Amino acid sequence: MEKNMTRRRRVSWPGIAQHLIQRGNNRQICFADEQDMLAFGQWLCDYSSEHGVAVHAWVFMTNHVHILATPQEHSSIALMMQALGRRYVRYFNSRHRRTGTLWEGRYRSCLVDSDEYLLQCQRYIEMNPVRAAMVATPGQYRWSSYRTHAHGKASRLTTPHSLYHRLGDTPIERQAAYRALFCEQLPAQLVESINQATLSGLALGNDKFRQQIKQLTGQSVQPGKPGRPLRKSVPPNQTTTSIDSDPQP
């Protein structure tokens, strides 16, 4: 299904969160063991700091990763993902004595309306291991940001979003309120909306948010009409879109 989707120019805007998905090529594993995940996490931490990206939520699955992050500059996330992708592929190929591509092309992303969808997107990300039947609860999975948000585990990688801080006046209150968000499953329709927005490069938000993004960037993030190509127009002197190139080894 992904291969049939029209390829959109990625849109990035400073201060607006993005949900990212990077998959292994042909759904093959990109993490063979915990050492691989540790290396990836350390370099994600390094490059997010270097390129001005605040990582709010993340999960490393066997064959893909999810990241929720806010860039400081238009190209911050693209530069972070390019540097991370190149370094990790060299490491992975050398350690596992393999050659060739590791990633399934470029990463997928969408802008996220913080007011309505940011914490829901965090729940979606941190519930991935549960939906995949790898664990019964998100706290049982080590390789995600859930333990930081729900139990206060120290993390150099995770920068809680301002909306998380509004959940309570103290760390204990925030953690309890955050755990309460996971008492109910995410609606299947919401899970599908997040998937489709990210894989299609659309905005995850209401019509007002999408219109605001169009006004800022000059690019529509509304679903296109079936059978018609997307029009990729950018106003004169407009340089708001992120660098559109795949991370390659």
Side-chain angles (χ1 to χ4, degrees):
M1 180 175 71
E2 293 176 28
K3 293 182 180 179
N4 294 328
M5 293 181 179
T6 304
R7 179 177 175 130
R8 293 173 177 263
R9 176 185 289 274
R10 265 198 301 266
V11 179
S12 181
W13 193 267
I16 297 181
Q18 296 182 38
H19 175 224
L20 319 173
I21 299 177
Q22 179 76 79
R23 297 189 185 279
N25 190 39
N26 293 323
R27 304 297 178 97
Q28 70 183 18
I29 64 167
C30 48
F31 302 111
D33 53 29
E34 291 196 340
Q35 182 175 328
D36 289 345
M37 292 184 177
L38 179 61
F40 187 90
Q42 289 177 336
W43 290 325
L44 175 58
C45 183
D46 292 343
Y47 289 122
S48 63
S49 177
E50 178 179 338
H51 294 292
V53 178
V55 176
H56 308 304
W58 51 274
V59 66
F60 305 157
M61 305 292 284
T62 304
N63 62 3
H64 68 283
V65 301
H66 291 264
I67 301 169
L68 179 65
T70 300
Q72 291 181 4
E73 304 292 341
H74 298 297
S75 61
S76 294
I77 285 180
L79 292 174
M80 176 190 76
M81 294 299 288
Q82 288 166 11
L84 175 62
R86 291 184 180 117
R87 183 163 186 179
Y88 184 75
V89 169
R90 289 196 300 269
Y91 154 86
F92 190 86
N93 283 354
S94 175
R95 180 170 184 243
H96 298 289
R97 299 181 180 181
R98 67 183 299 276
T99 60
T101 186
L102 176 65
W103 305 119
E104 187 182 63
R106 66 178 192 165
Y107 65 91
R108 304 300 185 98
S109 66
C110 71
L111 300 178
V112 179
D113 182 355
S114 295
D115 291 339
E116 292 193 27
Y117 285 96
L118 188 128
L119 289 179
Q120 304 228 50
C121 192
Q122 280 200 191
R123 291 171 60 202
Y124 164 88
I125 290 171
E126 294 171 352
M127 284 293 289
N128 257 262
V130 177
R131 287 196 299 275
M134 299 172 70
V135 292
T137 66
Q140 294 174 335
Y141 194 73
R142 177 183 176 187
W143 299 100
S144 86
S145 52
Y146 177 82
R147 295 182 184 182
T148 296
H149 292 121
H151 300 290
K153 179 184 177 182
S155 171
R156 289 178 53 243
L157 173 58
T158 310
T159 301
H161 193 274
S162 60
L163 288 178
Y164 172 81
H165 289 287
R166 297 179 198 173
L167 292 175
D169 294 329
T170 67
I172 297 300
E173 290 178 357
R174 289 191 288 271
Q175 292 161 27
Y178 193 76
R179 292 194 300 271
L181 296 177
F182 288 76
C183 291
E184 296 182 359
Q185 294 287 336
L186 284 172
Q189 184 175 359
L190 177 59
V191 171
E192 180 64 16
S193 295
I194 295 173
N195 278 329
Q196 290 301 312
T198 308
L199 296 177
S200 303
L202 303 174
L204 181 61
N206 57 28
D207 289 340
K208 180 180 178 180
F209 177 72
R210 290 171 177 163
Q211 186 60 33
Q212 289 172 340
I213 297 302
K214 184 177 181 180
Q215 291 173 353
L216 284 173
T217 68
Q219 182 172 330
S220 174
V221 286
Q222 295 273 11
K225 293 182 179 180
R228 297 185 62 183
L230 293 170
R231 182 181 179 184
K232 296 183 178 180
S233 60
V234 180
N237 302 321
Q238 178 63 271
T239 59
T240 59
T241 52
S242 63
I243 296 175
D244 188 9
S245 59
D246 301 339
Q248 296 294 336

